[in-house]
Amino acid sequence: MNQMIPLSAVFWIIIAVSILFLVVYLIGLIVETRRTMEKINSLLDDNSEKITNIIDNADAMVTDAKTSVDTVKEGVIEPLSDTLIKLQSLFGKNKKRRRVGLPKRKRKESAK
């Protein structure tokens, strides 16, 4: 007599093999992720001092730029501004005041 494996047993065997392959794949994925994270951590440890130096240098450059701008403002722009204000007040008194804006249009008388 021919003995047949029931269809439900075949179904459960396929599911078990699929789960086994899934578990093996997930374990491999976890191992690869762990290796990648170790590489990243080692690179960060090696470059952390360099990153700190770059940040310190950038901070020093910003401070120097701010000092330079403040120096130019105090040494050049403010005295020049004061001088221009004085000149404007001298010349502004002698000039006629001009109208600001567009000239008004004359209205046409409408035909009644």
Side-chain angles (χ1 to χ4, degrees):
M1 289 193 109
N2 194 2
Q3 287 187 331
M4 294 181 59
I5 299 175
L7 189 59
S8 63
V10 172
F11 177 72
W12 286 112
I13 291 172
I14 291 173
I15 290 177
V17 171
S18 299
I19 290 173
L20 182 66
F21 279 120
L22 180 65
V23 168
V24 170
Y25 176 76
L26 288 176
I27 290 173
L29 187 65
I30 290 170
V31 168
E32 189 63 33
T33 304
R34 187 174 294 159
R35 287 181 190 158
T36 305
M37 290 303 293
E38 288 173 359
K39 288 179 185 177
I40 289 172
N41 287 335
S42 68
L43 287 173
L44 287 176
D45 291 342
D46 294 343
N47 293 329
S48 64
E49 186 175 329
K50 292 177 185 177
I51 292 171
T52 304
N53 289 338
I54 289 170
I55 291 172
D56 291 342
N57 290 341
D59 188 39
M61 288 171 55
V62 168
T63 304
D64 291 345
K66 186 176 179 184
T67 304
S68 298
V69 168
D70 290 342
T71 303
V72 169
K73 181 180 174 188
E74 292 171 359
V76 176
I77 295 175
E78 287 179 356
L80 183 62
S81 174
D82 293 340
T83 305
L84 290 175
I85 290 172
K86 289 177 185 175
L87 287 174
Q88 182 184 10
S89 66
L90 287 175
F91 290 119
K93 291 178 184 176
N94 296 332
K95 276 188 167 182
K96 281 185 173 180
R97 290 193 172 192
R98 288 197 260 166
R99 285 184 46 197
V100 178
L102 297 173
K104 290 186 180 178
R105 297 165 103 185
K106 293 181 182 178
R107 292 186 182 176
K108 293 181 183 178
E109 290 184 29
S110 60
K112 292 184 182 181

